[in-house]
Amino acid sequence: EDKVVQSPLSLVVHEGDTVTLNCSYEVTNFRSLLWYKQEKKAPTFLFMLTSSGIEKKSGRLSSILDKKELFSILNITATQTGDSAVYLCAVLNSNSGYALNFGKGTSLLVTP
Amino acid sequence: GAGVSQTPSNKVTEKGKYVELRCDPISGHTALYWYRQSLGQGPEFLIYFQGTGAADDSGLPNDRFFAVRPEGSVSTLKIQRTERGDSAVYLCASSLAGGSSTDTQYFGPGTRLTVL
């Protein structure tokens, strides 16, 4: 059975800190890994990763995938209170090329 | 253009009642998905539509759950004889084509269903 595990489950940091969120997976016929940010209810898309070693970057957020060790990290530098949210990792496999398999998420709280 | 919209944003019902949840996808997106998210969990896949047809409904938990998309745009998730265990946030997503490793799913704000 496919599995997506995120760590830590929750994290509290001070504004300005750098954080690293982890996502490991066991998926047959891996296709892609996605990161979403969820504030209140709607998950908003951050990154899609399909190839190992290629960093995706957007402002203070970046992410990279390691297909050999089966994990991805999401980095947030110079955190701000607006970064407080649940960060969800999801994996897509070839068997079901559309049904995202999500982890439980990491709840990040950035304090002033 | 507008994102995915869902109505109502909140729905409170009594055990045994029937509910309908509506999803309006991004214009031009042929693929539509329903997920259910319980407290402290990630979203779980329920059903996937490609156009008007349900291409995969394997995530629907039982036959009390049904979804339609009659004109290939708006979709309605229907739950009969609701149970307290159905309480969750129901998320809808849409994507341009579906079934591709580069096809990104965009989510709506969800409907929080509470069954008393």
Side-chain angles (χ1 to χ4, degrees), chain A residues 31-32 34 36 38 41-43 45 48 50 88 92 96-100 102-104, chain B residues 9 33 35 37 41-43 45 48 56 91 99-102 104-105 107-110:
Chain A
R31 292 184 80 171
S32 55
L34 295 89
Y36 287 85
Q38 187 173 30
K41 285 193 286 188
F45 172 74
M48 176 185 282
T50 55
L88 293 165
L92 207 53
S96 164
Y98 39 78
L100 290 172
F102 283 88
K104 291 185 177 183
Chain B
S9 55
Y33 317 78
Y35 291 82
Q37 187 174 24
Q41 305 294 317
F45 170 77
Y48 158 57
D56 183 352
L91 293 164
S100 159
S101 62
T102 58
T104 302
Q105 295 181 30
F107 283 81

Side-chain angles (χ1 to χ4, degrees), chain A residues 62-111:
Chain A
S62 64
S63 184
I64 198 159
L65 175 67
D66 185 328
K67 287 167 76 173
K68 184 180 172 192
E69 299 297 330
L70 308 182
F71 76 91
S72 173
I73 59 171
L74 175 69
N75 278 320
I76 309 174
T77 58
T79 51
Q80 302 171 356
T81 55
D83 296 326
S84 298
V86 173
Y87 290 84
L88 293 165
C89 170
V91 175
L92 207 53
N93 67 35
S94 292
N95 300 335
S96 164
Y98 39 78
L100 290 172
N101 187 352
F102 283 88
K104 291 185 177 183
T106 293
S107 177
L108 173 66
L109 177 63
V110 182
T111 61

